[in-house]
Amino acid sequence: MRKAIAIITALVLSTLPLALTAQEEVKASQFGFNPADATRNLQAAIDSGARRVIVDRQATPWLTTPLQLRSDLELILEPGAKIEAVPGAFQDIRDAMFTATKVSNLTIAGGPGAEIAMRKQDYLDP
């Protein structure tokens, strides 16, 4: 019995490095989509380690609070995909949708009709 458990454990452990290897490309929707607040979904896609994260078009915009970007990332918005600030989430004029501190090899791009939008009135109101 112990020998069987040891063999099974060895097989599982030997496959872990393969399972932990990041994919080259992921779609954000693989991590879910919450039309009320997709911050967790977008951040999970960014944190996945994939070189290219594609924000795919949904029926409604990807509403988000601040997101932390990383090195070696291409964040690509499909044509027509929209990332928008959650209403009321960015109250200070210094608030930013994306933060990228000490990163390298970062690209943010979008196809025709892709948008990244803040709500100017939120941070202009006293």
Side-chain angles (χ1 to χ4, degrees):
M1 181 67 164
R2 282 189 174 157
K3 188 174 183 180
I5 291 172
I7 291 171
I8 291 170
T9 302
L11 288 172
V12 169
L13 291 176
S14 69
T15 61
L16 280 179
L18 295 175
L20 295 176
T21 301
Q23 296 179 15
E24 184 67 19
E25 179 178 293
V26 296
K27 286 196 173 193
S29 62
Q30 289 175 244
F31 300 86
F33 175 75
N34 180 344
D37 184 348
T39 306
R40 285 185 177 182
N41 311 110
L42 286 171
Q43 193 64 61
I46 292 165
D47 292 343
S48 71
R51 175 77 177 110
R52 181 177 298 122
V53 174
I54 298 173
V55 179
D56 40 328
R57 184 178 179 180
Q58 300 296 314
T60 60
W62 292 82
L63 295 178
T64 187
T65 59
L67 295 166
Q68 180 65 47
L69 302 181
R70 60 175 170 80
S71 292
D72 302 316
L73 172 67
E74 290 180 54
L75 185 65
I76 309 296
L77 281 73
E78 282 185 341
K82 293 179 175 35
I83 299 175
E84 286 184 11
V86 168
F90 298 88
Q91 296 291 309
D92 191 285
I93 197 162
R94 291 172 296 273
D95 287 345
M97 184 174 294
F98 301 118
T99 301
T101 305
K102 296 183 181 179
V103 301
S104 59
N105 301 318
L106 172 63
T107 301
I108 301 173
E115 292 180 16
I116 298 172
M118 298 291 284
R119 298 175 186 277
K120 186 175 181 179
Q121 197 57 44
D122 281 355
Y123 56 84
L124 289 182
D125 284 343

